[in-house]
Amino acid sequence: MKHFTFLLYFFLLEIPFVFSQEKSYEINNTIVNSIPENVTIVGLGDPTHQESTITKYRIDLIKKMVKEKEFKVIAIEGNMYEFYKAHQRFIKDKDISHYEKAMYRMLNAKEMEELYSFIYTENKKGNELQFIGFDPAFSGVSFAQNIAEDLEGITSLSQEEKDDFIKYIKKANIVSLKALFRNNRKVKEKIVFYSEKILATFNPKTQNDYFFSEALKNMIFLFTNDPETVTYGANKRDIGMALNVDFIQSQFPNEKIILFGSSTHLLKNPNAIEGAFFQNNRITFGHKLSEKFKSNYFYIAYTALSGTKYNYLNKNKPKHIPEAAENSIEYKINQEFKAPAVYITKETDYPMDKVLASRFMGHSFLTLQLWEVMDALVLIKEVESFEIKKL
């Protein structure tokens, strides 16, 4: 055991990491410099969407990546079309409610306002940044309204058909009060029918046209039983995310992309995680990216060493994050370092059992082959949860 501890300490000294002062985010300087030059897509994955501290660390890193590495596209886990429309409006009037109406409710937090302000300022300075979604699924409350506006120029549907189309989209939207209808077969069939009817004669000319067309294709993809995407274990939504990245690249060629979302989607190899859920031919967004882009996709996961987590039963009383399990990487880091944050990469293998545990996808520990799942890991102490905004 003494020999193992010595090896652990020795190898940790060789692993790229940095001690950062609380709220200074100095560790992000090392992270930016560690990202290989060939990387064109970086995924920044959070455990639960609810961590204020992790969100702040990632926003600071995004700002550095934009300024120092010339990343131009920031894609968040939200509906691609809905965020595209929100971004066009926001750049004109700086009204953050456009983004908030496009966002999943659980991601609407005051911490995000710093990112919005940065995006606006950079665009006004001439550094044209794009802030869009990568999700094919509905996320906010403005999707149906956006579609209705774009339908005004469509001649392949009568006004009665357009109204009917919007009615069924509202029923399908997960945030609708009628969300129970979202799996209704008739609702899906109607949405697919109208979408296909439009696309049969629609000829995109502007960027807005292309995003509108892609929104229709996203709905067809989600609501059609394609044999290739309903295989047991396949995650259709994640496959749609990967298709959306292809589309984003077609609209913004040669631009580097930052992905801001859940580690559940961004992880590279689900088969390297133990448990039946991950061993059933499951496909993740990050897995598809890793297959296609190889080393050009770089995934950074975040995990809490200590702190509090969001309490769904009483938002005013966050719960303490449980102590780290002894077989986890969080436990080992806590034993060795007092720094507020530590950053490690796969460049130096960890001198411990090949199979270890981490809670990078939440507050439960999963055993995994660390460097098959991610390229780097940020471990942060005293993580605080954020409060969901009331809109």
Side-chain angles (χ1 to χ4, degrees), residues 47-48 302-307 321-325 328-331 334 357-366 368:
T48 70
Y302 288 74
T303 184
L305 291 169
S306 60
I321 296 173
E323 293 291 330
S328 69
I329 191 169
E330 288 86 352
Y331 180 84
N334 261 330
S358 176
R359 55 183 170 202
F360 76 104
M361 283 201 297
H363 300 301
S364 297
F365 287 94
L366 297 169
L368 72 158

mmCIF file of all heavy atoms in Angstrom, residues 47-48 302-307 321-325 328-331 334 357-366 368:
data_model
loop_
_atom_site.group_PDB
_atom_site.id
_atom_site.type_symbol
_atom_site.label_atom_id
_atom_site.label_comp_id
_atom_site.label_asym_id
_atom_site.label_seq_id
_atom_site.Cartn_x
_atom_site.Cartn_y
_atom_site.Cartn_z
ATOM 1 N N PRO A 47 -21.907 17.426 -15.030
ATOM 2 C CA PRO A 47 -22.528 16.214 -14.474
ATOM 3 C C PRO A 47 -24.048 16.210 -14.493
ATOM 4 O O PRO A 47 -24.667 15.207 -14.824
ATOM 5 C CB PRO A 47 -22.007 16.175 -13.026
ATOM 6 C CG PRO A 47 -20.812 17.070 -13.001
ATOM 7 C CD PRO A 47 -21.104 18.134 -14.010
ATOM 8 N N THR A 48 -24.682 17.349 -14.129
ATOM 9 C CA THR A 48 -26.146 17.332 -13.945
ATOM 10 C C THR A 48 -26.871 18.554 -14.485
ATOM 11 O O THR A 48 -28.085 18.656 -14.329
ATOM 12 C CB THR A 48 -26.507 17.230 -12.450
ATOM 13 O OG1 THR A 48 -26.159 18.461 -11.802
ATOM 14 C CG2 THR A 48 -25.794 16.088 -11.765
ATOM 15 N N TYR A 302 -16.193 17.318 -16.343
ATOM 16 C CA TYR A 302 -16.072 18.031 -15.069
ATOM 17 C C TYR A 302 -16.728 17.204 -13.972
ATOM 18 O O TYR A 302 -17.747 16.546 -14.204
ATOM 19 C CB TYR A 302 -16.755 19.400 -15.146
ATOM 20 C CG TYR A 302 -16.020 20.416 -15.974
ATOM 21 C CD1 TYR A 302 -16.009 20.340 -17.371
ATOM 22 C CD2 TYR A 302 -15.320 21.462 -15.382
ATOM 23 C CE1 TYR A 302 -15.326 21.268 -18.145
ATOM 24 C CE2 TYR A 302 -14.635 22.406 -16.143
ATOM 25 C CZ TYR A 302 -14.649 22.300 -17.530
ATOM 26 O OH TYR A 302 -13.963 23.215 -18.291
ATOM 27 N N THR A 303 -16.129 17.247 -12.780
ATOM 28 C CA THR A 303 -16.703 16.519 -11.647
ATOM 29 C C THR A 303 -16.454 17.298 -10.358
ATOM 30 O O THR A 303 -15.501 18.084 -10.270
ATOM 31 C CB THR A 303 -16.099 15.103 -11.536
ATOM 32 O OG1 THR A 303 -16.741 14.393 -10.474
ATOM 33 C CG2 THR A 303 -14.614 15.143 -11.260
ATOM 34 N N ALA A 304 -17.322 17.091 -9.398
ATOM 35 C CA ALA A 304 -17.219 17.788 -8.119
ATOM 36 C C ALA A 304 -16.444 16.950 -7.111
ATOM 37 O O ALA A 304 -16.734 15.761 -6.921
ATOM 38 C CB ALA A 304 -18.615 18.094 -7.579
ATOM 39 N N LEU A 305 -15.477 17.571 -6.466
ATOM 40 C CA LEU A 305 -14.758 16.923 -5.377
ATOM 41 C C LEU A 305 -15.508 17.077 -4.061
ATOM 42 O O LEU A 305 -15.437 16.218 -3.178
ATOM 43 C CB LEU A 305 -13.357 17.514 -5.244
ATOM 44 C CG LEU A 305 -12.387 17.198 -6.387
ATOM 45 C CD1 LEU A 305 -11.138 18.060 -6.267
ATOM 46 C CD2 LEU A 305 -12.021 15.726 -6.379
ATOM 47 N N SER A 306 -16.230 18.175 -3.925
ATOM 48 C CA SER A 306 -17.011 18.450 -2.715
ATOM 49 C C SER A 306 -17.952 19.603 -3.017
ATOM 50 O O SER A 306 -17.866 20.236 -4.074
ATOM 51 C CB SER A 306 -16.088 18.812 -1.548
ATOM 52 O OG SER A 306 -15.320 19.968 -1.867
ATOM 53 N N GLY A 307 -18.848 19.881 -2.078
ATOM 54 C CA GLY A 307 -19.748 21.009 -2.256
ATOM 55 C C GLY A 307 -21.206 20.633 -2.084
ATOM 56 O O GLY A 307 -21.539 19.709 -1.337
ATOM 57 N N ILE A 321 -22.979 17.268 -1.352
ATOM 58 C CA ILE A 321 -22.542 16.169 -2.207
ATOM 59 C C ILE A 321 -21.891 15.113 -1.318
ATOM 60 O O ILE A 321 -21.044 15.443 -0.485
ATOM 61 C CB ILE A 321 -21.530 16.669 -3.254
ATOM 62 C CG1 ILE A 321 -22.216 17.679 -4.191
ATOM 63 C CG2 ILE A 321 -20.941 15.513 -4.048
ATOM 64 C CD1 ILE A 321 -21.266 18.363 -5.144
ATOM 65 N N PRO A 322 -22.281 13.849 -1.458
ATOM 66 C CA PRO A 322 -21.708 12.797 -0.602
ATOM 67 C C PRO A 322 -20.192 12.697 -0.734
ATOM 68 O O PRO A 322 -19.607 13.081 -1.758
ATOM 69 C CB PRO A 322 -22.389 11.522 -1.124
ATOM 70 C CG PRO A 322 -23.632 11.995 -1.802
ATOM 71 C CD PRO A 322 -23.291 13.327 -2.391
ATOM 72 N N GLU A 323 -19.558 12.186 0.298
ATOM 73 C CA GLU A 323 -18.119 11.945 0.255
ATOM 74 C C GLU A 323 -17.782 11.012 -0.898
ATOM 75 O O GLU A 323 -18.566 10.129 -1.261
ATOM 76 C CB GLU A 323 -17.653 11.324 1.573
ATOM 77 C CG GLU A 323 -17.762 12.254 2.781
ATOM 78 C CD GLU A 323 -16.772 13.404 2.734
ATOM 79 O OE1 GLU A 323 -15.674 13.207 2.158
ATOM 80 O OE2 GLU A 323 -17.101 14.483 3.246
ATOM 81 N N ALA A 324 -16.600 11.203 -1.466
ATOM 82 C CA ALA A 324 -16.195 10.386 -2.607
ATOM 83 C C ALA A 324 -15.936 8.939 -2.195
ATOM 84 O O ALA A 324 -15.406 8.669 -1.109
ATOM 85 C CB ALA A 324 -14.934 10.971 -3.240
ATOM 86 N N ALA A 325 -16.338 8.010 -3.058
ATOM 87 C CA ALA A 325 -16.078 6.591 -2.827
ATOM 88 C C ALA A 325 -14.575 6.322 -2.874
ATOM 89 O O ALA A 325 -13.839 6.953 -3.645
ATOM 90 C CB ALA A 325 -16.789 5.753 -3.875
ATOM 91 N N SER A 328 -12.638 5.789 -6.136
ATOM 92 C CA SER A 328 -12.877 6.790 -7.169
ATOM 93 C C SER A 328 -11.675 7.704 -7.372
ATOM 94 O O SER A 328 -10.846 7.894 -6.470
ATOM 95 C CB SER A 328 -14.087 7.649 -6.799
ATOM 96 O OG SER A 328 -13.799 8.469 -5.674
ATOM 97 N N ILE A 329 -11.628 8.292 -8.549
ATOM 98 C CA ILE A 329 -10.571 9.256 -8.828
ATOM 99 C C ILE A 329 -10.765 10.506 -7.981
ATOM 100 O O ILE A 329 -9.793 11.165 -7.581
ATOM 101 C CB ILE A 329 -10.533 9.593 -10.336
ATOM 102 C CG1 ILE A 329 -9.275 10.391 -10.662
ATOM 103 C CG2 ILE A 329 -11.776 10.330 -10.791
ATOM 104 C CD1 ILE A 329 -8.999 10.538 -12.133
ATOM 105 N N GLU A 330 -12.022 10.852 -7.674
ATOM 106 C CA GLU A 330 -12.290 12.009 -6.816
ATOM 107 C C GLU A 330 -11.676 11.817 -5.426
ATOM 108 O O GLU A 330 -11.099 12.753 -4.852
ATOM 109 C CB GLU A 330 -13.798 12.247 -6.696
ATOM 110 C CG GLU A 330 -14.459 12.799 -7.940
ATOM 111 C CD GLU A 330 -14.874 11.739 -8.937
ATOM 112 O OE1 GLU A 330 -14.504 10.543 -8.735
ATOM 113 O OE2 GLU A 330 -15.549 12.065 -9.916
ATOM 114 N N TYR A 331 -11.775 10.616 -4.896
ATOM 115 C CA TYR A 331 -11.221 10.318 -3.570
ATOM 116 C C TYR A 331 -9.698 10.453 -3.588
ATOM 117 O O TYR A 331 -9.100 11.057 -2.694
ATOM 118 C CB TYR A 331 -11.620 8.911 -3.145
ATOM 119 C CG TYR A 331 -11.094 8.500 -1.787
ATOM 120 C CD1 TYR A 331 -11.778 8.849 -0.617
ATOM 121 C CD2 TYR A 331 -9.917 7.753 -1.671
ATOM 122 C CE1 TYR A 331 -11.291 8.478 0.626
ATOM 123 C CE2 TYR A 331 -9.425 7.389 -0.437
ATOM 124 C CZ TYR A 331 -10.119 7.746 0.708
ATOM 125 O OH TYR A 331 -9.629 7.380 1.948
ATOM 126 N N ASN A 334 -8.670 14.104 -3.793
ATOM 127 C CA ASN A 334 -8.932 14.767 -2.511
ATOM 128 C C ASN A 334 -7.870 14.436 -1.466
ATOM 129 O O ASN A 334 -7.519 15.271 -0.628
ATOM 130 C CB ASN A 334 -10.310 14.359 -1.977
ATOM 131 C CG ASN A 334 -11.364 15.404 -2.268
ATOM 132 O OD1 ASN A 334 -11.077 16.593 -2.337
ATOM 133 N ND2 ASN A 334 -12.595 14.964 -2.446
ATOM 134 N N ALA A 357 -13.595 4.482 -10.502
ATOM 135 C CA ALA A 357 -14.932 5.074 -10.461
ATOM 136 C C ALA A 357 -14.857 6.592 -10.544
ATOM 137 O O ALA A 357 -13.858 7.205 -10.176
ATOM 138 C CB ALA A 357 -15.646 4.655 -9.175
ATOM 139 N N SER A 358 -15.934 7.194 -11.037
ATOM 140 C CA SER A 358 -16.048 8.646 -11.074
ATOM 141 C C SER A 358 -17.527 9.009 -11.113
ATOM 142 O O SER A 358 -18.357 8.226 -11.573
ATOM 143 C CB SER A 358 -15.336 9.230 -12.298
ATOM 144 O OG SER A 358 -15.524 10.635 -12.366
ATOM 145 N N ARG A 359 -17.832 10.228 -10.655
ATOM 146 C CA ARG A 359 -19.216 10.715 -10.723
ATOM 147 C C ARG A 359 -19.323 11.872 -11.723
ATOM 148 O O ARG A 359 -20.050 12.836 -11.509
ATOM 149 C CB ARG A 359 -19.696 11.142 -9.339
ATOM 150 C CG ARG A 359 -18.842 12.164 -8.621
ATOM 151 C CD ARG A 359 -19.401 12.448 -7.240
ATOM 152 N NE ARG A 359 -18.481 13.246 -6.425
ATOM 153 C CZ ARG A 359 -18.499 13.281 -5.094
ATOM 154 N NH1 ARG A 359 -19.385 12.553 -4.431
ATOM 155 N NH2 ARG A 359 -17.661 14.031 -4.427
ATOM 156 N N PHE A 360 -18.606 11.754 -12.823
ATOM 157 C CA PHE A 360 -18.598 12.817 -13.827
ATOM 158 C C PHE A 360 -19.940 12.977 -14.528
ATOM 159 O O PHE A 360 -20.173 13.965 -15.227
ATOM 160 C CB PHE A 360 -17.495 12.549 -14.879
ATOM 161 C CG PHE A 360 -17.850 11.478 -15.882
ATOM 162 C CD1 PHE A 360 -18.236 11.812 -17.171
ATOM 163 C CD2 PHE A 360 -17.803 10.137 -15.533
ATOM 164 C CE1 PHE A 360 -18.560 10.835 -18.094
ATOM 165 C CE2 PHE A 360 -18.116 9.154 -16.446
ATOM 166 C CZ PHE A 360 -18.501 9.494 -17.729
ATOM 167 N N MET A 361 -20.853 12.003 -14.360
ATOM 168 C CA MET A 361 -22.176 12.119 -14.958
ATOM 169 C C MET A 361 -23.270 12.361 -13.935
ATOM 170 O O MET A 361 -24.442 12.188 -14.224
ATOM 171 C CB MET A 361 -22.514 10.875 -15.788
ATOM 172 C CG MET A 361 -21.831 10.854 -17.139
ATOM 173 S SD MET A 361 -22.640 9.764 -18.315
ATOM 174 C CE MET A 361 -22.420 8.178 -17.515
ATOM 175 N N GLY A 362 -22.907 12.753 -12.733
ATOM 176 C CA GLY A 362 -23.914 13.008 -11.718
ATOM 177 C C GLY A 362 -23.321 12.826 -10.338
ATOM 178 O O GLY A 362 -22.137 13.053 -10.127
ATOM 179 N N HIS A 363 -24.114 12.364 -9.399
ATOM 180 C CA HIS A 363 -23.622 12.201 -8.035
ATOM 181 C C HIS A 363 -23.578 10.729 -7.619
ATOM 182 O O HIS A 363 -23.425 10.411 -6.446
ATOM 183 C CB HIS A 363 -24.484 13.023 -7.079
ATOM 184 C CG HIS A 363 -24.465 14.491 -7.418
ATOM 185 N ND1 HIS A 363 -23.301 15.232 -7.448
ATOM 186 C CD2 HIS A 363 -25.447 15.340 -7.781
ATOM 187 C CE1 HIS A 363 -23.582 16.476 -7.793
ATOM 188 N NE2 HIS A 363 -24.869 16.564 -8.004
ATOM 189 N N SER A 364 -23.713 9.845 -8.609
ATOM 190 C CA SER A 364 -23.528 8.415 -8.383
ATOM 191 C C SER A 364 -22.245 7.992 -9.088
ATOM 192 O O SER A 364 -21.940 8.476 -10.182
ATOM 193 C CB SER A 364 -24.717 7.621 -8.936
ATOM 194 O OG SER A 364 -25.906 7.967 -8.264
ATOM 195 N N PHE A 365 -21.499 7.091 -8.465
ATOM 196 C CA PHE A 365 -20.217 6.676 -9.031
ATOM 197 C C PHE A 365 -20.393 5.539 -10.029
ATOM 198 O O PHE A 365 -21.140 4.590 -9.783
ATOM 199 C CB PHE A 365 -19.257 6.262 -7.919
ATOM 200 C CG PHE A 365 -18.734 7.430 -7.134
ATOM 201 C CD1 PHE A 365 -19.358 7.822 -5.960
ATOM 202 C CD2 PHE A 365 -17.634 8.145 -7.580
ATOM 203 C CE1 PHE A 365 -18.890 8.909 -5.243
ATOM 204 C CE2 PHE A 365 -17.159 9.235 -6.872
ATOM 205 C CZ PHE A 365 -17.793 9.621 -5.695
ATOM 206 N N LEU A 366 -19.690 5.671 -11.153
ATOM 207 C CA LEU A 366 -19.684 4.649 -12.192
ATOM 208 C C LEU A 366 -18.254 4.183 -12.402
ATOM 209 O O LEU A 366 -17.323 4.999 -12.418
ATOM 210 C CB LEU A 366 -20.239 5.209 -13.504
ATOM 211 C CG LEU A 366 -21.691 5.674 -13.507
ATOM 212 C CD1 LEU A 366 -21.981 6.450 -14.788
ATOM 213 C CD2 LEU A 366 -22.638 4.483 -13.391
ATOM 214 N N LEU A 368 -15.310 2.840 -14.773
ATOM 215 C CA LEU A 368 -15.048 3.075 -16.188
ATOM 216 C C LEU A 368 -13.563 3.031 -16.499
ATOM 217 O O LEU A 368 -12.720 3.092 -15.604
ATOM 218 C CB LEU A 368 -15.588 4.448 -16.591
ATOM 219 C CG LEU A 368 -14.835 5.690 -16.072
ATOM 220 C CD1 LEU A 368 -15.134 6.883 -16.966
ATOM 221 C CD2 LEU A 368 -15.199 6.012 -14.635
#
